Each structure stands twice: as C-alpha cells, then as structure tokens.
Amino acid sequence: MTPIIEFKNYTFKYRSQTEPTLRDIDLSIYPGEKVLIVGPSGSGKSTLAHCINGMVPFSFPGEHTGSLSVNGQDPGKAGIFGMSKTVGTVLQDTDGQFIGLTVAEDVAFALENDCVPQDRMFSMVDGVAEIVDIKKLLDHAPTELSGGQKQRVSMAGVLVDDVDILLFDEPLANLDPATGKRAIDLIDRIHREQKKTVLIIEHRLEDVLYRDVDRIVVIGDGRVVADQSPDELLCGDVLEREGIREPLYVTALKHAGCRVKPEDCPQHIETMRLEPYRDRVREWYQKASSPQKREEKKTALEVLDLDFSYISGNPVLSNIDFRIRKGEMLAIVGKNGAGKSTLSNLICGFINPDRGKILLNDEDIAEKSIKERGEVIGLVMQNPNQMISRPMIYDEVALGLTVRGVPEEEVKERVYETLKICGLYPFRNWPVSALSFGQKKRVTIASILVMNPQVLILDEPTAGQDYRHYTEIMEFLKELNETYGITILMITHDMHLMLEYTDRAIVIADGQLVADDSPANVLTDERIAKKAYLKKTSLYDLAVRCGISDASGFAERFIHYERQVRGHGGQTADV
C-alpha cells in the first residue's frame, strides 16, 4: 500500500532559528490509519503537523532537506489552500477557527468559497451536522457554545470539504474529562465510518487511548524516537525517558513490581489481561501505607449559602457552602459551564452574590473592594498573556506594589525576594516576551505573590503543558503551599493533578455543590463522576479487576506512594 503521508530523511529549520526543529524524519502513515503523535513541548510535533497541512513554509518560512509527500502532493508547492482540500485541521483554540455568525454559516464557509449551489450547500451542511451531532445548534452563534460543542462545529467545518486526512491539534486541552471522552469517541466514530486517516497530537495520552489507535509516534528533540503499537510502547521506558505521562494503571502496575508485557494488551485497562499481575498488585496494596490525616487548622476562607444569577430567575450557583482551612491545597472541579470560574469571580469581588456570604479569616468581605481583596486573595488566570501588562519582568512583578504607593526601596526588596522564590531572579532584567509559556506563568504568580496574599486561586494552572512543565509548575506551587503556608485553590480539568497534588476536591455540577471529599473518593464514585462530567480514574478499574474491594483506598495509597517516590524513580521486577 502507498503511504498517504511520507517523510523521507526530512529536516526543517525555521528561518529565525540556527538549529533545525525537525531532523532526519522518516515516517510513513497509510490511508485509514489512526496515529497518535506525542512528545514534550518544543520537541517538534506541532512543526510536523504544520509541514503536513502546508503552514510550513507558507505561514512559517524556513529551509528543508529531504522530501515530504501528502496524498501525492508536495505541501511546499500545493500551498495552504491546496492542502486544505486534503488535510482538515482542528485547532486547539477552536475560537480562532470560527468565521461565520452562526454555526451553519461557519460550517458552510468552505462550500461558499467553492461556489457550491445553495440547495446542495444546505444538504451538505445538514449531512455533516448529522455526523457530528450539531443539527440543533445550526442557528446558534459559535461563541455561545460550550467547549465540546465548539469542537464539533470545527470538525464539521473540515468534514464538509470531504478531506482525506483529519489532523487534531491537542483536541482535549480545554475540555472537561467527560467531554474529552466524547470527543475521542466522536473522532473514533468518524475514523471508522468515514474511513478517514486521523492524526492526533495530544499530551493526555491515557485519555486518547480511551479508544484504539493503530500507532503512537513519539517525537523527541526533533526526531522520531519511537513508532510502535500502544501495547508495545506502554511496556517500554520511552515515555518515561521523554517526559510523557503514561497511563496511571501502568504506573501502578510498575510500582507493584510488575513488568508489563505487550501480549497482555495494556492499551485498555478494561480489556487488559491482568491474571499475571493480580497477586503482585494485591500484595503491594496490603504493604503500602495510607496517608496520615492532616491536623485541622483554622478556617481561611468560608463560603456560606451562596447564590448567584447573571439573569434573574436563571441561577448559575445555588446554595454553595464550604470551608477551606489555612494552608490547604484544594481542587475545584466540574464540567465546562458548571460555575467554577463564576465562584472564583465572586470570591475576588468581580461580581457580587445574590445571597450568602464570603468570609476571610472569619470576617465578612462583602464591603471590601476588588483592590482590597486583591491584597489578600490572588487570582492567576489560565492564560498568562491576559494578565501581563508591562514589557519588562521587574516592572510587571512590581506593578501591584507601585500602584499602591509602596516606597521604591521596599518595592525593589520585595520584588527581588519574590523573583528568587519563583526561580526568576536571573531574568529580572529580561523582557517578558523572551520567556516560555511556563516562565510567563511564573511571572503572573510572582506578580500576585509579591502582594503577600493569604489565598491563591489558579484557573487551569497546567492546561496545555507537557508532563515536565506540568510537574515543574505543580512542584513549585506545592513548595509555596508547604514552605510559605499559602492556601491554594485550583480550578482544573486535570484529574491526575487533583489526585496527585490536592487532599480535597470541591465538585460543582449544574451550579450545585455535589461533593466535598478526598480526590480518591470523588474519582472512584461513578455517580459523582457522571454527574460532574469527571472521568473515573483507571486506578478504580485496576483495583476492582484485581479483587481489591476498597478502590478508593487503593487510589489513596497509590498517590501517597507516588508522592514519596517522586523524583527518585520506582523499582520494577519480572512477574
């Protein structure tokens, strides 16, 4: 069979760089395959995608050697428009892909450009809307839709052109776990029913493996370091070497001293052959210690019977009631649109509740202004670029103190001290534009920390980060929490983050508080997971299938063990 995508000894260097981003790529993808591409940030996987869809060299100029063929065409000659007839790309940021005022207009955009007759256009739009289940949304504005709905509209927009190759760039980055599962389900259905060639670039490996993929291609430092079936890859050490998070159940098996074998089909925990490993897992569970209960501290933040509506009679939050202890590190989770960000906006004073109180250190903060609350409660947004307003790092971190009239010498002392805490002191005189995304995130945290807040709220602190950068940010936040006693609330879709770094989870679904419990209890409770669009942890399935009745206890012991061995590596042995 002739490959539909073929790289031969392909090397590419961006015009602005001295070193190639892709080096000696030899890769063949065949018609009808579904291939997952993984790799750390900066490894070259996005550049690989840009080469396939024609963005390289037309939007991103540079030089290449070797050859690339996509469906018999050279993307360097066919151009972006020419390749768009063969490769349909669904971007991570779907908002950047919308053009029409309604969903129907947006889906029809490519057809309008091709001067398709109107009656045929209506028929084709209806057809793809049926495939991706958006028929009821055709009259809606794309901006009104949820993250999962927006993604379906983007998929319809590329499917309507009847492309042969579908390229998904981090399709799960902004979706809650259950919506992410549905997205992977939909991609799988389109792959099977439409016989498309599908490429998925994603950091969340375990979530993509919810449905079969034919191969996983691992990119590291611009090279293909592995091209294997999922079963083969999960049994080796390539993922660990390249800093890519492997599925939790695979890590748990390795902690139990098991050497996982390809013939036992580890791609899916639901169908994996566990007989050879069951005794080892049970033995490990019996020996593993449980986390000790933390001593109860005074209440830092209290939310009492909170109600809020943007439109009267249409509540966004109802009867929200919880307490956060000083020095806690806590997760707020729930589906897109559940009211999590609204809750953080209420705490910060950007909006006011219809009913209820918010107490800080047992004091009602209703009369405090946004500025006054900002001195004790800091909010770090998901995208650091939305927070940064000064070109230089020092000026950005100093801004909050400067506008409050703090003397210059004190500003300098506090800024330098904060930059040291955040690992940014060597860059104190750098422009913000020279920093990576993760470093910019630290700058935004530093600009809040310099105010000496008691409570820090972070909205999706690790969204779109690879495992290494995710770990750097989370270890840094953990240090802030443990060393400086800062109370940290994290709004997150990342179930691993919630399990690994927090001791408590507040779960919101449809504006109601549905759980306030340990992460392990939340993620092993099918009722709560279903209601809040969470994803039940694969540790639950592993425990149940190994005959361990206390699945929540198993998850807790696994996370406790992970925290103990983090950074030291685990031991594995033959079974």
Side-chain angles (χ1 to χ4, degrees):
M1 190 188 290
T2 305
I4 193 167
I5 300 170
E6 188 170 31
F7 289 86
K8 282 186 180 175
N9 200 27
Y10 188 89
T11 294
F12 175 77
K13 180 176 78 69
Y14 288 104
R15 186 182 288 168
S16 58
Q17 294 185 331
T18 55
E19 291 294 318
T21 299
L22 297 178
R23 304 164 188 267
D24 308 319
I25 301 288
D26 283 303
L27 178 65
S28 296
I29 293 167
Y30 294 89
E33 277 195 301
K34 192 199 316 182
V35 178
L36 171 60
I37 300 172
V38 297
S41 295
S43 62
K45 57 187 188 302
S46 291
T47 301
L48 195 77
H50 292 151
C51 291
I52 292 167
N53 64 18
M55 297 289 280
V56 165
F58 294 96
S59 290
F60 305 110
E63 303 160 9
H64 81 271
T65 58
S67 67
L68 166 60
S69 169
V70 179
N71 208 14
Q73 300 178 84
D74 177 353
K77 291 176 182 170
I80 295 172
F81 179 74
M83 293 314 299
S84 71
K85 299 298 174 188
T86 293
V87 182
T89 306
V90 179
L91 302 173
Q92 175 183 344
D93 177 15
T94 47
D95 287 328
Q97 205 159 350
F98 294 135
I99 291 160
L101 295 176
T102 66
V103 168
E105 281 179 29
D106 198 81
V107 175
F109 180 72
L111 303 177
E112 288 181 317
N113 277 324
D114 292 340
C115 301
V116 172
Q118 202 171 53
D119 56 345
R120 187 157 167 256
M121 192 188 301
F122 278 115
S123 167
M124 291 174 75
V125 169
D126 271 357
V128 294
E130 188 82 52
I131 290 169
V132 299
D133 193 22
I134 57 165
K135 258 194 141 174
K136 293 177 182 174
L137 304 174
L138 289 174
D139 294 331
H140 288 58
T143 49
E144 294 173 355
L145 306 180
S146 70
Q149 289 169 333
K150 285 178 180 178
Q151 198 171 64
R152 286 169 182 257
V153 172
S154 292
M155 287 163 80
V158 296
L159 279 173
V160 79
D161 230 1
D162 196 26
V163 293
D164 297 303
I165 300 164
L166 288 174
L167 175 58
F168 295 91
D169 187 4
E170 296 205 31
L172 305 179
N174 301 312
L175 301 181
D176 61 55
T179 305
K181 275 178 79 171
R182 289 191 185 128
I184 292 300
D185 230 351
L186 178 59
I187 292 169
D188 184 64
R189 185 161 58 79
I190 289 168
H191 169 249
R192 285 184 285 105
E193 293 175 3
Q194 305 291 312
K195 310 298 182 195
K196 304 290 185 187
T197 303
V198 173
L199 303 181
I200 304 170
I201 298 171
E202 184 53 68
H203 287 305
R204 286 160 60 175
L205 174 69
E206 182 175 342
D207 292 341
V208 176
L209 292 183
Y210 170 60
R211 290 287 179 254
D212 286 345
V213 302
D214 297 305
R215 289 151 58 199
I216 301 176
V217 175
V218 183
I219 307 291
D221 195 24
R223 301 178 191 276
V224 175
V225 294
D227 180 356
Q228 296 176 302
S229 72
D231 288 333
E232 289 171 327
L233 189 71
L234 293 176
C235 297
D237 64 351
V238 173
L239 295 174
E240 190 179 349
R241 267 201 335 262
E242 294 297 323
I244 299 160
R245 185 196 295 163
E246 63 190 359
L248 279 184
Y249 61 91
V250 173
T251 307
L253 287 166
K254 289 178 180 177
H255 284 338
C258 304
R259 180 162 290 170
V260 184
K261 295 173 181 173
E263 55 266 32
D264 294 318
C265 307
Q267 180 177 184
H268 305 298
I269 182 60
E270 297 86 359
T271 52
M272 181 182 177
R273 196 169 76 90
L274 284 172
E275 287 82 1
Y277 313 107
R278 212 169 265 151
D279 291 343
R280 273 275 169 93
V281 173
R282 283 204 292 255
E283 193 180 312
W284 176 87
Y285 167 70
Q286 296 298 335
K287 288 180 181 174
S289 58
S290 298
Q292 291 183 335
K293 295 282 184 191
R294 284 192 178 190
E295 59 175 284
E296 291 278 301
K297 291 187 178 178
K298 287 184 179 177
T299 302
L301 190 71
E302 204 165 354
V303 173
L304 299 172
D305 296 323
L306 211 65
D307 288 359
F308 177 78
S309 309
Y310 289 106
I311 300 165
S312 182
N314 189 10
V316 175
L317 293 170
S318 303
N319 304 314
I320 302 295
D321 196 288
F322 61 86
R323 286 150 195 77
I324 299 168
R325 304 283 178 186
K326 286 186 178 176
E328 264 196 297
M329 201 159 170
L330 172 142
I332 300 176
V333 297
K335 70 177 179 180
N336 291 51
K340 306 183 298 296
S341 295
T342 299
L343 179 59
S344 70
N345 289 339
L346 285 162
I347 293 170
C348 293
F350 303 145
I351 49 179
N352 296 314
D354 300 333
R355 184 178 73 90
K357 293 179 181 178
I358 299 170
L359 308 182
L360 183 70
N361 300 326
D362 299 324
E363 181 189 339
D364 191 339
I365 58 173
E367 299 305 313
K368 286 189 183 290
S369 66
I370 294 172
K371 180 176 173 241
E372 288 170 324
R373 292 194 201 193
E375 291 170 0
V376 284
I377 301 170
L379 173 66
V380 179
M381 295 164 77
Q382 179 176 336
N383 185 347
N385 296 319
Q386 293 176 340
M387 288 185 69
I388 293 168
S389 59
R390 292 287 185 272
M392 304 302 289
I393 290 171
Y394 178 91
D395 295 337
E396 177 62 32
V397 177
L399 182 62
L401 300 176
T402 307
V403 297
R404 284 168 173 79
V406 175
E408 197 175 322
E409 268 309 303
E410 187 185 337
V411 169
K412 190 173 181 180
E413 189 181 322
R414 284 171 67 175
V415 169
Y416 280 178
E417 182 59 34
T418 305
L419 288 172
K420 284 172 185 171
I421 290 168
C422 297
L424 292 167
Y425 186 72
F427 312 114
R428 60 194 177 281
N429 298 319
W430 281 34
V432 174
S433 58
L435 301 182
S436 69
F437 186 88
Q439 288 169 325
K440 284 181 184 175
K441 200 114 183 174
R442 286 185 181 231
V443 169
T444 60
I445 294 170
S447 66
I448 300 292
L449 275 186
V450 78
M451 308 295 298
N452 296 326
Q454 297 170 33
V455 178
L456 197 57
I457 303 173
L458 297 111
D459 193 355
E460 294 291 352
T462 58
Q465 299 285 296
D466 65 22
Y467 192 43
R468 183 170 64 84
H469 289 100
Y470 157 97
T471 305
E472 278 178 12
I473 287 173
M474 289 313 303
E475 286 296 313
F476 165 61
L477 290 172
K478 184 166 162 277
E479 189 182 336
L480 288 181
N481 172 254
E482 292 177 351
T483 307
Y484 301 95
I486 296 172
T487 305
I488 295 179
L489 282 72
M490 289 178 285
I491 298 169
T492 184
H493 288 319
D494 191 326
M495 299 298 95
H496 188 105
L497 179 155
M498 172 177 142
L499 268 174
E500 192 177 13
Y501 285 98
T502 69
D503 296 311
R504 200 168 133 224
I506 287 170
V507 185
I508 297 175
D510 301 320
Q512 305 275 343
L513 193 148
V514 294
D516 180 352
D517 206 339
S518 74
N521 284 345
V522 167
L523 293 182
T524 51
D525 187 319
E526 286 193 71
R527 183 186 59 82
I528 291 171
K530 189 174 180 182
K531 194 168 186 179
Y533 277 48
L534 307 179
K535 179 174 166 280
K536 194 180 54 168
T537 175
S538 57
L539 297 172
Y540 173 89
D541 295 297
L542 179 62
V544 169
R545 292 196 61 217
C546 287
I548 297 166
S549 57
D550 184 9
S552 171
F554 178 80
E556 279 189 340
R557 291 181 193 193
F558 167 80
I559 294 303
H560 182 57
Y561 184 79
E562 277 268 287
R563 289 174 182 175
Q564 290 176 316
V565 302
R566 191 182 296 131
H568 303 293
Q571 296 297 311
T572 59
D574 291 317
V575 171

